[in-house]
């Protein structure tokens, strides 16, 4: 298997507004892709399309070699579920379940889906909470956590189903500046463990530091892509340069 | 006011209060699930289902409860041909009216609760692989009930007081006993006793819901 994510001619319209214009790209196993670009350029829509939170208008998406959508035609509901379950997603606003304790936030999906035994699930949630440094918070409700802690819980929750790919949509944008570090550290650690990731971010220094490749999106296109050195060091396009100057 | 008299009338009045409590329990136990179902119907993608739910809510909230009670107790039997099969025990007919009426109010309360839930909750659950039904059961309903709790408490207290409408359809209950005693004994005391009994019932409810709200604070 050569690509974890394979996207071809992806098109998404909201009514008459064309948000993604025939986007194509590949993400290789273990690769970390940072997605940058101005507001409204389609970054979130692209990420959300991968996990079927948006229904695309045309084009193809394959995850781990399996077609989620091919030339605008979606797989069966069961297959869609199977394919998207290989991906975890972390949202800007965490989207933790406020009525469940931290541990139950982690365990809800695996316990409901019953793919593993309860012992396996509890062992895993314990391990992941310790990995994100929140072992002591297992029994509290999310409302008592800081933003940075919430986001680390969200990352642990996304890891519970052992996804092959993790997607992050501006994971630190809702955080106070002094709390971004603890979240970025966790993501960096995942990168070191060779997790395949796509990260939409405004943290340019983080993108430069952690990414293998950077996509610069503009107006529904991946206008420019390359290594962090290429994009941040010597961008080819004037608009990339203009965007980076502004950030 | 004389203590002996109060004690003497308290027996029959508590008897009447039993009917009040019974009606209250029947209506709460049945109208809350009914409201739940109607809320889900109103949100259904099957348009006719949603339409029926909205029409039902509109009619029940847009007409007086007393009219609805009259309709079930005295109106139904008057319908040509099928009327004779619709003669029910007064209490049963009135309960039905109450259940349908409160079901609509609870549906509206729950609908508000659903609207308050961020769409990120649905999205997070979906990405975690939960089906729509699993999401509803494990993520949405608990939060909806939490948001709706104060309004449900309010509605329950209103229901305690609305049970007095049974008087109008001649089902003997607390108020009915009080009125009889007042007419018979030429004293206002039974009304005061009735008031105290209503207050005790609403007090118990208030404390119960306070407890629930504290228990489901999620902090
Ligand atoms: N549900 C929707 N309905 C209509 N238009 C939408 C919807 N979601 C997004 N859009 C539009 O699609 C375009 C791309 O939005 P998107 O959220 O993908 O941008 P973004 O690059 O993530 O921006 P930001 O940096 O602000 O998060 C925007 O013009 C937005 O207004
Ligand atoms: Mg976005």
């Amino acid at each position: 298997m050569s690509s974890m994510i394979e996207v071809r001619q992806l098109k998404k319209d909201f009514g008459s507004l064309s948000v993604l214009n025939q986007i194509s790209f590949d993400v290789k196993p273990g690769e970390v892709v940072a997605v940058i670009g101005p507001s409204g350029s389609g970054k979130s829509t692209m990420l959300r399309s991968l996990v079927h939170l948006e229904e695309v208008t045309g084009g193809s998406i394959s995850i781990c070699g399996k077609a989620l959508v091919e030339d605008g035609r979606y797989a069966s509901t069961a297959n869609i579920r199977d394919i998207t379950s290989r991906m975890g997603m972390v949202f800007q606003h965490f989207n933790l379940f406020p009525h469940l304790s931290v541990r139950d936030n982690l365990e809800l999906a695996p316990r409901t889906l019953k793919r593993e035994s309860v012992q396996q699930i509890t062992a895993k949630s314990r391990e992941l909470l310790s990995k994100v440094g929140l072992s002591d918070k297992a029994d509290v409700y999310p409302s008592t956590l800081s933003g940075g802690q919430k986001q680390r819980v969200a990352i642990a929750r996304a890891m519970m189903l052992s996804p092959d790919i993790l997607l992050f949509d501006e994971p630190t944008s809702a955080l106070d500046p002094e709390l971004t570090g603890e979240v970025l550290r966790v993501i960096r650690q995942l990168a070191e463990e060779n997790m395949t990731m796509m990260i939409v971010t405004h943290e340019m220094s983080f993108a430069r530091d952690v990414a293998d490749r950077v996509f610069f999106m503009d107006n529904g296109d991946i206008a420019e892509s390359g290594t962090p050195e290429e994009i941040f060091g010597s961008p080819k396009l004037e608009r990339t340069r203009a965007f980076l100057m502004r950030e | 006011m004389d203590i002996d008299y109060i004690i003497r009338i308290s027996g029959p009045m508590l008897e009447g209060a039993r009917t009040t409590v019974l009606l209250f329990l029947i209506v709460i136990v049945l109208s809350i699930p009914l409201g739940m179902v109607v809320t889900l119907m109103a949100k259904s993608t099957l348009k006719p289902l949603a339409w029926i739910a909205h029409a039902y809510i509109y009619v029940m909230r847009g007409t007086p409860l007393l009219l609805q009670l009259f309709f079930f107790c005295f109106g139904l039997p008057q319908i040509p041909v099928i009327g004779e099969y619709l003669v029910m025990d007064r209490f049963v007919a009135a309960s039905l009216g109450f259940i349908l009426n409160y079901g609509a109010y609870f549906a509206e309360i729950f609908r508000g609760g659903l609207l308050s839930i961020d769409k990120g909750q649905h999205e997070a659950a979906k990405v975690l692989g939960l089906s729509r039904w699993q999401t509803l059961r494990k993520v949405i309903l608990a939060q909806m009930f939490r948001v709706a709790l104060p309004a449900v408490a309010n509605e329950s207290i209103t229901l305690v007081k609305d049970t007095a409408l049974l008087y109008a359809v001649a089902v003997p209950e607390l108020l009915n006993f009080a009125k009889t005693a007042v007419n018979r004994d030429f004293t206002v005391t039974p009304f005061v006793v009735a008031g105290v009994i209503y207050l005790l019932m609403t007090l118990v409810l208030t404390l119960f819901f306070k407890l629930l709200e504290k228990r489901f604070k999620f902090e």
Side-chain angles (χ1 to χ4, degrees), chain A residues 40 43-45 92 169-170 200:
Chain A
K43 307 180 297 293
S44 296
T45 306
Q92 180 177 354
D169 192 356
E170 305 202 21
V200 174

Side-chain angles (χ1 to χ4, degrees), chain A residues 61-127:
Chain A
I61 300 173
S62 290
I63 304 298
C64 305
K66 291 201 177 137
L68 172 68
V69 51
E70 207 160 11
D71 284 330
R73 290 229 307 281
Y74 272 92
S76 67
T77 309
N79 281 339
I80 289 177
R81 239 201 291 146
D82 182 48
I83 293 165
T84 53
S85 75
R86 293 160 180 272
M87 289 173 279
M89 180 143 178
V90 174
F91 300 87
Q92 180 177 354
H93 296 289
F94 330 125
N95 298 354
L96 294 179
F97 303 132
H99 63 298
L100 298 178
S101 70
V102 165
R103 179 190 287 113
D104 289 343
N105 261 274
L106 267 65
E107 296 183 2
L108 176 69
R111 278 175 187 265
T112 306
L113 302 177
K114 296 196 175 80
R115 282 185 215 145
E116 291 165 301
S117 72
V118 172
Q119 289 94 311
Q120 282 172 307
I121 293 170
T122 49
K124 201 160 174 185
S125 69
R126 203 172 312 125
E127 179 200 319

Side-chain angles (χ1 to χ4, degrees), chain A residues 14 17 19 38-45 170 202:
Chain A
F14 284 112
L17 180 71
V19 175
S39 182
S41 56
K43 307 180 297 293
S44 296
T45 306
E170 305 202 21
H202 288 296

Side-chain angles (χ1 to χ4, degrees), chain A residues 48 52 95-97 99 143, chain B residues 120-121 123 126 128 138 218:
Chain A
R48 292 163 56 82
H52 194 53
N95 298 354
L96 294 179
F97 303 132
H99 63 298
S143 65
Chain B
Q121 294 288 305
E123 296 186 344
K126 181 175 176 185
L128 286 168
K138 311 223 161 179
F218 306 140

Side-chain angles (χ1 to χ4, degrees), chain B residues 181-198:
Chain B
V182 167
N183 289 349
R184 185 187 59 217
D185 305 334
F186 302 106
T187 160
V188 72
T189 309
F191 283 157
V192 177
V193 174
V196 169
I197 295 178
Y198 281 119

Side-chain angles (χ1 to χ4, degrees), chain B residues 140-155:
Chain B
I140 304 304
L141 287 189
Q143 295 184 53
M144 184 204 74
F145 274 115
R146 180 63 193 90
V147 174
L149 206 49
V152 170
N154 225 342
E155 207 56 28

